[in-house]
Every structure is written in C-alpha cells, then in structure tokens.
C-alpha cells in the first residue's frame, strides 16, 4: 500500500467490517510508539508537583464534575514516540521473468522516513507500552517526555496479535499512570484519551465508552485477539499508543485505531483494554515473547439464522464449529455444536469474549468451560496448550533455535513494491541453519518445500513436518528474494 505523506504524517488505511467504512490505524508513519504504566491493579496514587495527591481512588463513578484531576494524573506519563527509518532501496515491480530468473529491476533511492505516535510509561524505571504498528521495523526510536527530556528507546518485544509493543528507556523516577481494570468499565462511562495527535503534544480529549469487546477485523495476524473498547473520545493519527483513562486517572486501554472514511476522526475510536495489555507486557518482560494459550476450537457467531438452523436455545455464547484434533478442547470433551457460555467466572456472549478470556491465560493453565449441549448446561475442565500443542513455556530463543533467525511479515507497501502478495522477511540472523546455507540477513522467504509462507506459523509448521520426516527428506528448499527484488534459492539440510 502506498504511503501518503504530508506534514501531518502517514495514516495506514485498512478495510473495515461494515460496508462503506474504513479503519485508520493511528500511525503517523510506518511506525510509532507509546508508553503505559506497568503496575499491579492497585498502586499508590500519582503525586503532583506540590506533593499532594490529586485525586482519591475512593471517589465513586459519576461524581466527577470535570476532568482536570484525571488529566493531571495521566498527562505526564504519556510520551511522544518518534521513529526514523533509514534509506531503503526500491525497485519496480517484478514481472514474471524477473521473479523466476532474478533479472534486476530499475532501482532508486528512497529518502529516510520519520513518523510519530504516543506511548504510556508503565514503570518508574522506564518501561513504556505502545502499539506494534507505531514502532514496527523502525531503525531508531526516540521517546520525548512531557517535560521535553529525550531518550533513545530499546525495543524489548512486540506482539502483532494484539498490536502491543514494549519499549525501555534508561531513566529512573519517571511519572506513571495507575493501572486500572478495564473489566470494570461500563458502557456510558466517561473516559479521556491522552496522546499526541498530528504532533500536537500532550492533547487530552473526552468521551464515553460506546461499546466493549469490539472485533473490527483490523489486525493482520494469524492468532490475533481483537476485543477493543469503543469510545467517542476524539482520537487522530498520532494518538496510537496513547492512554485511555477513566475519571479516576487510571489506565484502562491503549488507543489503537479509528473508524473513518477520511483517515481522521469521525466519531469512533478503539483501544486495547488493559486486561490484555497487562498480560502481554508481563509475558514480554518475563519471557521475551507472549505465551499464547490455545483452546483449540473454531467458532461462529450465533445469529438468528444459525439458532434456527442448529435448533439452539440461546443467541448468547460462542458456537463451536469445529474442534481441533488432539487439542485442549477435544481432550476436555468439547464437541462441535456446543455453545460456550462461560470461561471460569467470566460470561461469554460472543466469540470475541471467548478469545479475550482465553488470551489472558498461559499454556498449561486449567480453565472451567461452561457450555450448552442439546439444551443442557455442563462444565468441563480444559488444560490450555501452546501453539505446538504442549503446555510448556515458549521462549524467544525457542522460536529462532532451529533456523537461527527471527522474522516479520511484509507490510502492504513492501508487497506492492515487489509485486507479491505475501512473504516473511528475516528480522535477525545468528548462527544456525539459514546462516550456514548462506541466506542473507534481510532475505524474504516466499516458499519452502513448494508451500507458500505467509506467517511464522506457516514456516514453523513446515519445519516441524520436515523434522519429523525420514533423514533423507529433512531438507528445506527455500524460494525467496532480496529486498531489491532479486530471486534466490537455497537448500537447508536439517539432518546435518
């Protein structure tokens, strides 16, 4: 997708679920970053410069006559994230012969790009949360505090499945926002959006919670979790990664996207709830990668038509279309046609609810799943698994151990420039099978063993299958191209 440049930045547009609407990922360039408070659910209130607590946590909802105190509690902990992308070499789209025979296309230098977004400080020692799309593949990340202090940030880890990233700056005694409980939010409750729209630093807007658990189909990830808080607080490009806070000044979400036909705010904005943010940030800090728990079901939303067709007794819940063989659900006794209505103490009204509740857990966790089968209610216990079907922790090193590499999916702009529809590019390369075979550090993998590679899950599955084959067949035949569009072929022997 071509980037549209202006003095305001770049807005990445993605098709929305409802006809005639576009979703604009708040993203003032290819990337950006933001900060969020990483604390326990209850912490000491933020103390203002005069040493007095600005707002008591004990005040009830609906009693706040203005938002000045909530703004004071949050504005100093929201940062401006500025990203830089070094010069890239661009080539014209590859035609048929260029793709298969490596004929180089015409090349031209592209100017360095800059972008900006927002972030939220989670801890006094410099951990900051933001959206993944804000900092994705940035060469340099600069964090500017509300008092104009500047720091070069280190990327700790990312999770494209929730569009969350964690940064770190080297500083102590930083202001933070109290971590609130997004589960306690009610539709109609007042919230504030704090961020840096259009490079206008430290901007605060107000609105109400319009809806919860919204799935807007905006994330491009294999195991995405979308359960957004929808608000009507004014949010624009540059707000990405900024704070959504309640009237007590507690963080309840990370602003991520808007629904718009123009790329600017037109009434609807969406934030990742802290119930998801806390789990993702905790995993990245502890393991370097998110521990994704899997129940092992494919779901359908329950409509009036489905209720009539399947003779269901409710419109609430997640309908189990298919159970993954040998997965957690099958082992627990869940069957196709069941309707899941609760996970532990949390009600499941839609498939989005089920995704969110399972997404809060780690592999190996045991959950009570309440379901309806033939009009009868029953509860089963399911032991959640990881993506490999086990219950152990997956480390960042595990993901890169076999091939010696980490990867990221191509952006729409890269796909358009190269004239391809998919691909997985090497992000980092160390001693391992790929490096031994002479694969370059920025190589784009398109096919392995004649199978298209669109995601890391695709590549992992191909490698697992090859490893389980006989020794003579444990070979990866890789087809791909360089970032300049030159096609290359490699053979990687996993048996050596």
């Amino acid at each position: 997708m071509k980037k549209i440049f202006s003095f305001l930045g770049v807005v990445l547009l993605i098709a929305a679920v409802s006809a005639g609407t576009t979703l604009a990922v708040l993203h003032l360039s290819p990337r950006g970053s933001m900060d969020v408070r990483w604390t326990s659910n209850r912490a000491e209130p933020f103390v203002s410069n005069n040493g007095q607590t600005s707002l008591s946590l004990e005040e009830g909802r609906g009693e706040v006559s203005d938002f000045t105190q909530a703004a004071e509690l949050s504005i100093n902990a929201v940062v401006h994230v500025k990203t830089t992308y070094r010069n890239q070499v661009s080539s014209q789209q590859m035609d048929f012969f260029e793709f298969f025979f490596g004929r180089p296309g015409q090349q031209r230098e592209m100017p360095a790009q800059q972008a900006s977004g927002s972030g939220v400080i989670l801890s006094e020692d410099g951990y900051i949360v933001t959206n993944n799309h804000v900092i994705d593949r940035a060469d340099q990340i600069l964090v500017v505090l509300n008092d104009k202090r500047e720091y070069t940030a280190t990327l700790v880890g990312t999770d494209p499945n929730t569009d969350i990233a964690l940064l770190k700056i080297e500083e102590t005694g930083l202001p933070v926002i109290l971590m609130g409980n997004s589960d306690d939010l009610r539709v109609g409750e007042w919230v504030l959006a704090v961020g840096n729209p259009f490079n206008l630093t430290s901007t605060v807007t107000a609105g109400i919670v319009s809806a919860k658990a919204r799935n807007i189909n905006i994330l491009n990830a294999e195991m995405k979790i979308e359960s957004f808080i929808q608000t009507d607080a004014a949010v624009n490009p540059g707000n990405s990664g900024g704070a959504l806070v309640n009237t007590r000044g507690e963080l309840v979400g990370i602003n991520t996207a808007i629904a718009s036909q123009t790329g600017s705010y037109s009434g609807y904005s969406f934030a990742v709830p802290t119930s998801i943010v806390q789990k993702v940030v905790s995993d990245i800090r502890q393991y370097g990668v998110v521990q994704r728990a899997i129940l092992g079901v494919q779901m359908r939303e329950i409509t009036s038509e489905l209720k009539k067709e399947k003779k269901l007794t409710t419109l609430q819940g997640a309908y189990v279309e298919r159970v993954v063989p040998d997965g957690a659900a099958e082992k627990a006794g869940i069957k196709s046609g069941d309707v899941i209505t609760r996970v532990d103490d949390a009600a499941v009204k839609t498939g989005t609810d089920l995704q969110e509740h399972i997404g809060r857990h780690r592999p190996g966790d045991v959950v009570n799943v309440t379901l309806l089968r033939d009009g009868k209610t029953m509860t089963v216990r399911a032991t959640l698994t990881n993506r490999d079907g086990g219950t152990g922790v997956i480390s960042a090193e595990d993901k890169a151990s076999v091939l010696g590499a980490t990867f990221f999916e191509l952006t729409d702009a890269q796909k358009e420039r190269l004239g391809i529809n998919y691909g997985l590019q090497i992000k980092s390369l160390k001693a391992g099978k790929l490096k031994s075979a002479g694969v370059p550090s920025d190589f784009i993998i398109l096919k392995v063993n004649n199978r298209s590679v669109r995601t890391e899950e695709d590549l992992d599955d191909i490698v697992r299958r090859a490893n389980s084959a006989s020794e003579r067949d444990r070979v990866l035949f890789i087809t791909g191209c360089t970032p300049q569009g030159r096609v290359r072929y490699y053979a990687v022997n996993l048996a050596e």
Side-chain angles (χ1 to χ4, degrees):
M1 179 179 292
K2 295 181 179 178
K3 299 179 181 67
I4 305 171
F5 288 87
S6 71
F7 75 96
L8 297 179
V10 179
V11 177
L12 175 63
L13 300 179
I14 299 178
V17 178
S18 57
T21 303
T22 351
L23 289 178
V25 175
L26 302 181
H27 181 195
L28 281 186
S29 96
R31 314 291 181 268
S33 89
M34 7 178 218
D35 305 331
V36 271
R37 168 67 187 275
W38 190 80
T39 69
S40 60
N41 283 337
R42 280 296 174 193
E44 294 301 318
F46 178 78
V47 178
S48 62
N49 292 334
N50 61 11
Q52 299 299 317
T53 301
S54 298
L55 183 64
S56 168
L57 295 180
E58 306 304 322
E59 292 183 7
R61 292 181 196 163
E63 298 177 4
V64 179
S65 59
D66 63 53
F67 308 117
T68 57
Q69 292 178 316
E72 181 183 353
L73 287 171
S74 55
I75 197 168
N76 290 310
V78 175
V79 301
H80 199 177
V81 178
K82 298 182 179 181
T83 52
T84 302
Y85 306 83
R86 63 172 175 258
N87 292 346
Q88 300 176 355
V89 178
S90 175
S91 64
Q92 293 180 340
Q93 286 190 359
M94 295 184 294
D95 59 22
F96 178 85
F97 293 101
E98 180 185 343
F99 181 83
F100 284 101
F101 300 106
R103 187 183 73 199
Q106 296 181 356
Q107 298 180 352
R108 60 184 175 88
E109 291 292 326
M110 296 179 64
Q113 302 175 30
Q114 292 184 331
S116 67
S118 303
V120 183
I121 303 174
L122 298 178
S123 66
E124 294 182 354
D125 60 347
Y127 282 97
I128 295 169
V129 67
T130 187
N131 286 135
N132 176 62
H133 75 256
V134 170
I135 51 78
D136 190 22
R137 292 199 300 281
D139 295 298
Q140 185 181 47
I141 303 172
L142 184 69
V143 168
V144 183
L145 304 188
N146 195 40
D147 62 10
K148 298 183 180 180
R149 284 181 290 170
E150 296 185 357
Y151 302 85
T152 298
T154 301
L155 179 61
V156 180
T158 65
D159 181 36
N161 290 295
T162 56
D163 198 20
I164 292 297
L166 184 64
L167 309 177
K168 179 70 167 65
I169 62 174
E170 297 305 317
E171 186 56 278
T172 58
L174 295 172
V176 295
I177 300 179
L178 293 171
M179 183 66 76
N181 187 348
S182 56
D183 289 344
D184 291 340
L185 278 178
R186 297 181 297 181
V187 174
E189 183 174 341
W190 281 103
V191 286
L192 304 182
V194 187
N196 305 284
F198 301 131
N199 281 322
L200 299 172
T201 59
S202 306
T203 297
V204 180
T205 57
I208 64 169
V209 175
S210 305
K212 296 177 65 177
R214 283 289 197 218
N215 185 335
I216 56 178
N217 197 30
I218 199 173
L219 299 181
N220 182 24
E222 186 72 16
M223 299 174 67
K224 63 184 180 182
I225 298 177
E226 293 193 20
S227 186
F228 294 112
I229 301 167
Q230 179 183 327
T231 79
D232 64 356
V235 168
N236 278 291
N239 272 111
S240 281
L244 185 72
V245 301
N246 59 25
T247 53
R248 296 182 297 282
E250 300 169 325
L251 184 72
V252 292
I254 297 299
N255 295 314
T256 299
I258 57 177
S260 173
Q261 294 178 325
T262 63
S264 296
Y265 175 74
S266 60
Y268 303 99
S269 57
F270 302 90
V272 180
T274 53
S275 60
I276 293 176
V277 174
Q278 283 183 289
K279 196 269 183 182
V280 170
V281 168
S282 177
D283 280 1
I284 291 176
R285 287 192 65 174
Q286 186 171 352
Y287 305 106
V289 64
V290 175
Q291 303 301 309
R292 188 73 63 212
I294 298 174
L295 180 60
V297 295
Q298 292 181 355
M299 303 168 296
R300 283 178 63 184
E301 295 298 335
I302 301 177
T303 62
S304 297
E305 292 76 13
L306 181 65
K307 180 175 183 263
K308 182 178 180 181
E309 175 189 348
K310 302 296 183 180
K311 298 180 180 179
L312 304 178
T313 59
T314 181
L315 285 167
Q316 303 290 312
Y319 180 81
V320 179
E321 179 77 5
R322 176 178 173 269
V323 176
V324 177
D326 204 33
E330 183 180 74
K331 292 178 180 179
I334 299 174
K335 300 179 179 180
S336 298
D338 289 344
V339 176
I340 297 175
T341 58
R342 299 189 73 84
V343 174
D344 292 330
D345 295 329
V348 173
K349 297 180 180 179
T350 65
T352 299
D353 287 336
L354 180 60
Q355 280 186 318
E356 179 181 350
H357 296 317
I358 296 298
R360 300 181 188 185
H361 291 275
R362 291 173 177 166
D365 286 353
V366 178
V367 295
N368 294 313
V369 180
T370 302
L371 53 87
L372 288 173
R373 179 183 299 167
D374 299 327
K376 298 180 180 179
T377 300
M378 59 186 298
T379 300
V380 299
R381 291 173 61 83
T383 302
L384 304 176
T385 68
N386 57 36
R387 58 184 174 83
D388 295 327
T391 57
V393 170
I394 295 178
S395 68
E397 290 74 20
D398 291 336
K399 297 185 69 176
S401 60
V402 177
L403 300 179
T406 59
F407 306 89
F408 55 76
E409 297 173 27
L410 296 183
T411 64
D412 290 336
Q414 287 178 296
K415 294 174 188 175
E416 183 177 1
R417 174 167 57 82
L418 294 170
I420 56 182
N421 295 322
Y422 57 85
L424 200 63
Q425 187 170 15
I426 294 175
K427 181 178 182 180
S428 64
L429 189 65
K430 62 181 182 179
K433 298 294 185 181
L434 293 183
K435 190 171 185 177
S436 298
V439 179
S441 60
D442 57 356
F443 191 67
I444 299 171
I445 297 175
L446 299 174
K447 289 188 176 183
V448 178
N449 292 350
N450 206 33
R451 283 183 55 187
S452 299
V453 177
R454 301 174 185 272
T455 66
E456 285 191 60
E457 285 73 21
D458 292 339
L459 182 58
D460 289 343
D461 183 61
I462 296 170
V463 172
R464 283 197 299 270
R465 290 174 183 269
N467 271 325
S468 62
S470 61
E471 185 170 335
R472 59 174 293 183
D473 294 327
R474 293 176 63 188
V475 180
L476 303 178
F477 295 101
I478 300 174
T479 301
C481 66
T482 67
Q484 294 76 39
R486 296 191 177 99
V487 177
R488 296 287 185 268
Y489 305 92
Y490 298 92
V492 176
N493 190 343
L494 298 177
E496 294 180 348

